[in-house]
Amino acid sequence: EAAVTQSPRNKVAVTGGKVTLSCNQTNNHNNMYWYRQDTGHGLRLIHYSYGAGSTEKGDIPDGYKASRPSQENFSLILELATPSQTSVYFCASGDWDWGRDTQYFGPGTRLLVL
Amino acid sequence: GDSVTQKQGQVTLSEDDFLFINCTYSTTTYPTLFWYVQYPGQGPQLLLKVTTANNKGISRGFEATYDKGTTSFHLQKASVQESDSAVYFCALVKYNVLYFGSGTKLTVEP
């Protein structure tokens, strides 16, 4: 069964602190994504990756870094967290080859920056 | 750039009512379009997909038709149930990246 897991599921951080959100997928998908979800904005793309070692900027990358050390893992890093980064973060993996057109999301991480 | 637009932020219906959620898209190509559904406390999940080849998608009683003339991609259901209460997103894919609309929150009252 296709699976994307995220950790932690909930996180409270202090302003200026470093936060790392982790994502793991067992779907063997090349593509992975980080989105944030805020009321009224839907899902906005932060960073994505086409495979191990690659990261690409999405629509709102400022204040975030990403790391893809392996096919299965994709991390989102907030070096200096700010209250404006309080949000729900979703990781996803996707396969768009040969018309498969599939993207699976994780359960989300709630981040509160105080 | 490529985008999708959902103007209906919230829709409230009674059980057995007809559902219609509007979505328009903007792109220079003929994209593959999607509807995703998100239940409380969960990540979005795929509801249905429509391509230029088939023009229509049907899943779990929901139907969406791709209209290239009006660049629209509406979601319909003949008779909603309380269990359909969720947030619905339309999306398009380009270069292996999904771009989402802002979502429509559907509340179905018993």
Side-chain angles (χ1 to χ4, degrees), chain B residues 67-108:
Chain B
D67 186 334
K68 293 188 284 289
T70 60
T71 63
S72 65
F73 181 64
H74 309 307
L75 182 69
Q76 303 177 87
K77 188 176 186 184
S79 175
V80 295
Q81 303 302 307
E82 195 173 354
S83 58
D84 293 325
S85 295
V87 180
Y88 293 82
F89 295 96
C90 60
L92 65 79
V93 62
K94 188 164 185 179
Y95 302 132
N96 292 3
V97 177
L98 266 180
Y99 295 94
F100 288 86
S102 55
T104 298
K105 182 177 181 181
L106 171 65
T107 302
V108 181

Side-chain angles (χ1 to χ4, degrees), chain A:
Chain A
E1 184 176 311
V4 179
T5 56
Q6 296 181 230
S7 63
R9 293 295 313 278
N10 293 281
K11 173 75 176 178
V12 179
V14 296
T15 297
K18 182 177 181 178
V19 177
T20 300
L21 306 183
S22 299
C23 178
N24 177 273
Q25 57 112 350
T26 58
N27 307 316
N28 199 31
H29 290 163
N30 288 328
N31 306 292
M32 296 187 73
Y33 313 85
W34 278 105
Y35 294 86
R36 64 177 282 178
Q37 184 174 33
D38 305 286
T39 303
H41 289 281
L43 291 150
R44 293 184 290 175
L45 183 67
I46 307 171
H47 284 288
Y48 59 102
S49 168
Y50 291 128
S54 92
T55 60
E56 307 288 337
K57 293 180 179 179
D59 296 328
I60 54 165
D62 292 346
Y64 303 94
K65 287 173 54 179
S67 174
R68 182 85 182 271
S70 65
Q71 178 83 339
E72 297 78 18
N73 296 293
F74 191 37
S75 298
L76 185 68
I77 303 152
L78 291 65
E79 294 279 5
L80 295 169
T82 68
S84 64
Q85 294 175 312
T86 293
S87 187
V88 181
Y89 291 85
F90 288 98
C91 176
S93 73
D95 182 0
W96 305 100
D97 294 332
W98 303 107
R100 283 191 285 273
D101 296 340
T102 302
Q103 181 158 316
Y104 296 106
F105 283 82
T109 294
R110 287 191 174 274
L111 173 64
L112 173 62
V113 182
L114 299 174

Side-chain angles (χ1 to χ4, degrees), chain B:
Chain B
D2 296 0
S3 65
V4 287
T5 302
Q6 291 176 255
K7 292 187 176 179
Q8 298 160 283
Q10 292 194 82
V11 172
T12 301
L13 298 172
S14 299
E15 279 197 321
D16 298 323
D17 280 353
F18 173 73
L19 171 68
F20 181 91
I21 299 178
N22 184 46
C23 176
T24 57
Y25 65 89
S26 173
T27 179
T28 56
T29 63
Y30 291 119
T32 297
L33 298 163
F34 303 82
W35 281 98
Y36 275 75
V37 58
Q38 184 179 28
Y39 299 102
Q42 299 182 22
Q45 55 185 272
L46 179 65
L47 178 59
L48 53 79
K49 175 183 83 171
V50 177
T51 67
T52 54
N54 57 25
N55 284 337
K56 180 179 285 190
I58 298 174
S59 175
R60 303 187 233 170
F62 290 89
E63 179 178 319
T65 303
Y66 187 169
D67 186 334
K68 293 188 284 289
T70 60
T71 63
S72 65
F73 181 64
H74 309 307
L75 182 69
Q76 303 177 87
K77 188 176 186 184
S79 175
V80 295
Q81 303 302 307
E82 195 173 354
S83 58
D84 293 325
S85 295
V87 180
Y88 293 82
F89 295 96
C90 60
L92 65 79
V93 62
K94 188 164 185 179
Y95 302 132
N96 292 3
V97 177
L98 266 180
Y99 295 94
F100 288 86
S102 55
T104 298
K105 182 177 181 181
L106 171 65
T107 302
V108 181
E109 298 173 340

